[in-house]
mmCIF file of all heavy atoms in Angstrom:
data_model
loop_
_atom_site.group_PDB
_atom_site.id
_atom_site.type_symbol
_atom_site.label_atom_id
_atom_site.label_comp_id
_atom_site.label_asym_id
_atom_site.label_seq_id
_atom_site.Cartn_x
_atom_site.Cartn_y
_atom_site.Cartn_z
ATOM 1 N N LYS A 299 10.875 10.950 22.563
ATOM 2 C CA LYS A 299 11.176 10.787 21.143
ATOM 3 C C LYS A 299 10.833 11.997 20.308
ATOM 4 O O LYS A 299 11.463 12.257 19.298
ATOM 5 C CB LYS A 299 10.416 9.589 20.592
ATOM 6 C CG LYS A 299 11.048 8.287 20.976
ATOM 7 C CD LYS A 299 10.523 7.173 20.120
ATOM 8 C CE LYS A 299 11.036 5.833 20.619
ATOM 9 N NZ LYS A 299 10.225 4.740 20.097
ATOM 10 N N SER A 300 9.792 12.707 20.679
ATOM 11 C CA SER A 300 9.381 13.795 19.806
ATOM 12 C C SER A 300 8.503 14.772 20.577
ATOM 13 O O SER A 300 7.949 14.429 21.627
ATOM 14 C CB SER A 300 8.608 13.229 18.610
ATOM 15 O OG SER A 300 8.346 14.236 17.659
ATOM 16 N N ILE A 301 8.408 15.959 20.030
ATOM 17 C CA ILE A 301 7.569 16.981 20.652
ATOM 18 C C ILE A 301 6.612 17.519 19.593
ATOM 19 O O ILE A 301 7.055 18.008 18.558
ATOM 20 C CB ILE A 301 8.431 18.130 21.199
ATOM 21 C CG1 ILE A 301 9.425 17.585 22.220
ATOM 22 C CG2 ILE A 301 7.558 19.203 21.832
ATOM 23 C CD1 ILE A 301 10.619 18.454 22.407
ATOM 24 N N ALA A 302 5.333 17.393 19.853
ATOM 25 C CA ALA A 302 4.345 17.920 18.904
ATOM 26 C C ALA A 302 3.714 19.165 19.501
ATOM 27 O O ALA A 302 3.773 19.391 20.712
ATOM 28 C CB ALA A 302 3.283 16.861 18.630
ATOM 29 N N HIS A 303 3.119 19.967 18.654
ATOM 30 C CA HIS A 303 2.391 21.125 19.170
ATOM 31 C C HIS A 303 1.203 21.401 18.270
ATOM 32 O O HIS A 303 1.199 21.036 17.094
ATOM 33 C CB HIS A 303 3.294 22.346 19.223
ATOM 34 C CG HIS A 303 3.538 22.932 17.873
ATOM 35 N ND1 HIS A 303 4.385 22.334 16.972
ATOM 36 C CD2 HIS A 303 3.001 24.005 17.250
ATOM 37 C CE1 HIS A 303 4.378 23.043 15.855
ATOM 38 N NE2 HIS A 303 3.554 24.050 15.977
ATOM 39 N N LYS A 304 0.220 22.041 18.833
ATOM 40 C CA LYS A 304 -0.991 22.322 18.078
ATOM 41 C C LYS A 304 -1.508 23.683 18.538
ATOM 42 O O LYS A 304 -1.836 23.855 19.713
ATOM 43 C CB LYS A 304 -2.000 21.212 18.409
ATOM 44 C CG LYS A 304 -3.257 21.220 17.612
ATOM 45 C CD LYS A 304 -3.947 19.872 17.887
ATOM 46 C CE LYS A 304 -5.396 19.869 17.518
ATOM 47 N NZ LYS A 304 -6.047 18.599 17.904
ATOM 48 N N SER A 305 -1.510 24.628 17.613
ATOM 49 C CA SER A 305 -1.973 25.969 17.969
ATOM 50 C C SER A 305 -3.467 26.097 17.690
ATOM 51 O O SER A 305 -4.102 25.148 17.270
ATOM 52 C CB SER A 305 -1.200 27.010 17.164
ATOM 53 O OG SER A 305 0.167 26.877 17.437
ATOM 54 N N GLY A 306 -3.988 27.288 17.919
ATOM 55 C CA GLY A 306 -5.404 27.524 17.636
ATOM 56 C C GLY A 306 -6.309 26.816 18.616
ATOM 57 O O GLY A 306 -7.347 26.269 18.266
ATOM 58 N N ILE A 307 -5.880 26.825 19.872
ATOM 59 C CA ILE A 307 -6.609 26.094 20.909
ATOM 60 C C ILE A 307 -7.231 27.089 21.891
ATOM 61 O O ILE A 307 -6.644 28.128 22.180
ATOM 62 C CB ILE A 307 -5.607 25.199 21.684
ATOM 63 C CG1 ILE A 307 -5.029 24.125 20.756
ATOM 64 C CG2 ILE A 307 -6.214 24.601 22.929
ATOM 65 C CD1 ILE A 307 -6.025 23.107 20.282
ATOM 66 N N THR A 308 -8.414 26.765 22.380
ATOM 67 C CA THR A 308 -9.022 27.561 23.453
ATOM 68 C C THR A 308 -9.172 26.666 24.682
ATOM 69 O O THR A 308 -9.551 25.506 24.557
ATOM 70 C CB THR A 308 -10.397 28.103 23.020
ATOM 71 O OG1 THR A 308 -10.195 29.040 21.974
ATOM 72 C CG2 THR A 308 -11.118 28.778 24.179
ATOM 73 N N VAL A 309 -8.829 27.235 25.837
ATOM 74 C CA VAL A 309 -9.022 26.489 27.079
ATOM 75 C C VAL A 309 -10.312 26.980 27.738
ATOM 76 O O VAL A 309 -10.545 28.183 27.826
ATOM 77 C CB VAL A 309 -7.833 26.709 28.047
ATOM 78 C CG1 VAL A 309 -8.133 26.085 29.409
ATOM 79 C CG2 VAL A 309 -6.563 26.129 27.460
ATOM 80 N N LEU A 310 -11.143 26.050 28.146
ATOM 81 C CA LEU A 310 -12.357 26.403 28.879
ATOM 82 C C LEU A 310 -12.245 25.838 30.286
ATOM 83 O O LEU A 310 -11.897 24.670 30.462
ATOM 84 C CB LEU A 310 -13.587 25.781 28.198
ATOM 85 C CG LEU A 310 -13.837 26.203 26.740
ATOM 86 C CD1 LEU A 310 -15.026 25.432 26.175
ATOM 87 C CD2 LEU A 310 -14.093 27.696 26.656
ATOM 88 N N GLN A 311 -12.511 26.711 31.261
ATOM 89 C CA GLN A 311 -12.505 26.213 32.632
ATOM 90 C C GLN A 311 -13.905 26.396 33.191
ATOM 91 O O GLN A 311 -14.445 27.506 33.182
ATOM 92 C CB GLN A 311 -11.495 26.984 33.472
ATOM 93 C CG GLN A 311 -11.354 26.353 34.852
ATOM 94 C CD GLN A 311 -10.460 27.176 35.754
ATOM 95 O OE1 GLN A 311 -10.533 28.392 35.733
ATOM 96 N NE2 GLN A 311 -9.626 26.509 36.516
ATOM 97 N N ILE A 312 -14.471 25.301 33.640
ATOM 98 C CA ILE A 312 -15.838 25.364 34.167
ATOM 99 C C ILE A 312 -15.771 25.093 35.663
ATOM 100 O O ILE A 312 -15.264 24.050 36.089
ATOM 101 C CB ILE A 312 -16.755 24.320 33.482
ATOM 102 C CG1 ILE A 312 -16.781 24.584 31.984
ATOM 103 C CG2 ILE A 312 -18.178 24.396 34.029
ATOM 104 C CD1 ILE A 312 -16.005 23.614 31.178
ATOM 105 N N THR A 313 -16.261 26.043 36.440
ATOM 106 C CA THR A 313 -16.229 25.899 37.888
ATOM 107 C C THR A 313 -17.664 25.831 38.396
ATOM 108 O O THR A 313 -18.492 26.659 38.022
ATOM 109 C CB THR A 313 -15.531 27.114 38.530
ATOM 110 O OG1 THR A 313 -14.286 27.276 37.881
ATOM 111 C CG2 THR A 313 -15.304 26.893 40.011
ATOM 112 N N SER A 314 -17.914 24.822 39.205
ATOM 113 C CA SER A 314 -19.267 24.702 39.729
ATOM 114 C C SER A 314 -19.256 23.880 40.999
ATOM 115 O O SER A 314 -18.619 22.826 41.054
ATOM 116 C CB SER A 314 -20.170 24.018 38.691
ATOM 117 O OG SER A 314 -21.357 23.591 39.320
ATOM 118 N N ALA A 315 -19.943 24.355 41.997
ATOM 119 C CA ALA A 315 -20.044 23.605 43.246
ATOM 120 C C ALA A 315 -20.799 22.304 42.998
ATOM 121 O O ALA A 315 -20.617 21.315 43.695
ATOM 122 C CB ALA A 315 -20.751 24.434 44.304
ATOM 123 N N ARG A 316 -21.608 22.286 41.967
ATOM 124 C CA ARG A 316 -22.399 21.080 41.647
ATOM 125 C C ARG A 316 -21.513 19.893 41.290
ATOM 126 O O ARG A 316 -21.949 18.755 41.296
ATOM 127 C CB ARG A 316 -23.338 21.357 40.479
ATOM 128 C CG ARG A 316 -24.612 22.069 40.878
ATOM 129 C CD ARG A 316 -25.436 22.413 39.652
ATOM 130 N NE ARG A 316 -25.788 21.246 38.873
ATOM 131 C CZ ARG A 316 -26.153 21.300 37.593
ATOM 132 N NH1 ARG A 316 -26.191 22.452 36.972
ATOM 133 N NH2 ARG A 316 -26.471 20.191 36.938
#
Side-chain angles (χ1 to χ4, degrees):
K299 283 196 187 162
S300 188
I301 301 157
H303 75 285
K304 187 168 162 185
S305 301
I307 295 293
T308 293
V309 172
L310 300 176
Q311 187 186 40
I312 301 106
T313 308
S314 165
R316 279 175 58 200

